[in-house]
Amino acid sequence: MAYSGFTWAPMISVTATKYQRHGYVEKRAFLPGERRSAARDMERTVKGYRELRQELADSRKMIQEQEQDRRSTVETTIQTSFYKSPVGTRTQKGSGAIFYSDPVGRTSHFSATKRI
């Protein structure tokens, strides 16, 4: 399919463009108590805001619990290591310059401490 260069841009209101202009509304931090009063005002005026805020809080709590569970399972695992390979090789010389390698099992054990 050929690219025509046409892109669709949604129409936005004149009011939105007025408030999005640089310098019309400056970004600033909330003053003490302003955030709570804005949230209370949103609960009163915006339909469905309270339910949305509650769902968001529940989702954040669930994610935090999942991360905590994941961390606790990682901490309880015992770190083990081999310090002797469970498989060895036995090499035999064949005729000419040919060598044959056969895997040989050996007794090995796990160690709860890391050895280097």
Side-chain angles (χ1 to χ4, degrees), residues 1 7 9-10 18 23 29 38-39 42 51-52 55 63-64 69 78 85 89 91 98-99 102 107:
M1 183 173 174
T7 57
K18 180 174 82 171
M42 294 271 285
E51 292 82 13
L52 179 67
E55 288 178 15
I63 289 172
Q64 186 179 16
D69 289 343
I78 299 171
S85 176
T89 56
T91 306
I98 298 175
F99 290 87
D102 297 321
T107 58

Side-chain angles (χ1 to χ4, degrees), residues 2 5 9 34-36 41 47 55 65 86 93 99 103 105 109 112:
E34 220 175 18
R35 182 183 305 264
R36 181 65 190 137
D41 184 45
K47 188 177 185 179
E55 288 178 15
E65 289 172 356
K93 185 172 180 344
F99 290 87
H109 54 279

Side-chain angles (χ1 to χ4, degrees), residues 26-73:
E26 287 96 21
K27 291 182 179 181
R28 62 177 178 82
F30 282 116
L31 295 175
E34 220 175 18
R35 182 183 305 264
R36 181 65 190 137
S37 63
R40 248 186 275 129
D41 184 45
M42 294 271 285
E43 284 178 2
R44 273 187 266 131
T45 57
V46 178
K47 188 177 185 179
Y49 177 77
R50 185 176 293 158
E51 292 82 13
L52 179 67
R53 189 175 52 85
Q54 185 62 39
E55 288 178 15
L56 186 61
D58 292 341
S59 297
R60 286 179 178 154
K61 185 178 179 182
M62 185 174 58
I63 289 172
Q64 186 179 16
E65 289 172 356
Q66 287 175 352
E67 287 176 355
Q68 187 177 6
D69 289 343
R70 189 171 2 138
R71 275 192 232 113
S72 67
T73 58

